[in-house]
């Protein structure tokens, strides 16, 4: 199973195996990564699943859809070019080794 690593600016690093097809928000929440809240359950209404895609993987994802772009306006932490809402990102086998950086806070 492919692996994803989430890196918190507060220090902790979390590596989890993620099922292909799972959302990266679900993988974090069910993987016990408390820095990802996912308050709306993935229906694009909370922006508490904000992550920054590591630059090494920036070209591995398509651009955000319009709805995600709208919600990215609502993130509480700094919005950066690599900001994404992880409920909109699905795991793929070719993303094995993916690194996601966590924001300072989600709310
Ligand atoms: Fe609410 Fe992603 S979980 S917008």
């Amino acid at each position: 199973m492919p692996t994803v690593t989430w890196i918190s600016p507060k220090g902790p690093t979390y590596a989890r195996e993620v099922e292909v097809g799972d959302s990266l928000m679900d993988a974090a929440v069910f993987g016990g990564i408390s820095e990802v809240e996912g308050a709306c359950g993935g229906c694009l209404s909370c922006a508490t699943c904000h992550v920054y895609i590591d630059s090494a993987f920036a070209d591995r994802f398509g651009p955000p859809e319009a709805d995600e772009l709208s919600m990215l306006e609502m993130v509480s932490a700094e919005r950066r070019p690599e900001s994404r809402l992880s409920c909109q990102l699905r795991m793929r086998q070719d993303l094995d080794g993916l690194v996601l950086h966590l924001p300072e806070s989600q709310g």
Side-chain angles (χ1 to χ4, degrees):
M1 207 181 303
T3 300
V4 178
T5 299
W6 287 260
I7 299 174
S8 169
K10 298 171 186 156
T13 294
Y14 312 93
R16 300 285 186 271
E17 291 188 328
V18 179
E19 198 86 48
V20 170
D22 281 1
S23 90
L24 294 176
M25 178 278 288
D26 281 338
V29 170
F30 294 114
I33 300 170
S34 60
E35 288 93 333
V36 176
E37 291 181 25
C40 76
C43 64
L44 264 183
S45 62
C46 73
T48 63
C49 59
H50 182 202
V51 295
Y52 304 113
I53 295 176
D54 188 86
S55 58
F57 293 86
D59 62 352
R60 309 283 281 281
F61 293 91
E65 301 279 338
D67 289 350
E68 183 183 353
L69 278 173
S70 297
M71 281 310 294
L72 280 166
E73 305 282 336
M74 312 294 283
V75 294
S76 63
E78 177 191 4
R79 181 178 172 187
R80 302 177 190 164
E82 61 272 28
S83 287
R84 295 298 299 264
L85 296 178
S86 57
C87 66
Q88 301 304 300
L89 305 175
R90 296 273 165 194
M91 192 60 192
R92 305 188 312 261
Q93 188 63 47
D94 67 294
L95 294 174
D96 186 30
L98 175 66
V99 175
L100 299 173
H101 300 272
L102 295 162
E104 283 287 340
S105 77
Q106 298 282 5

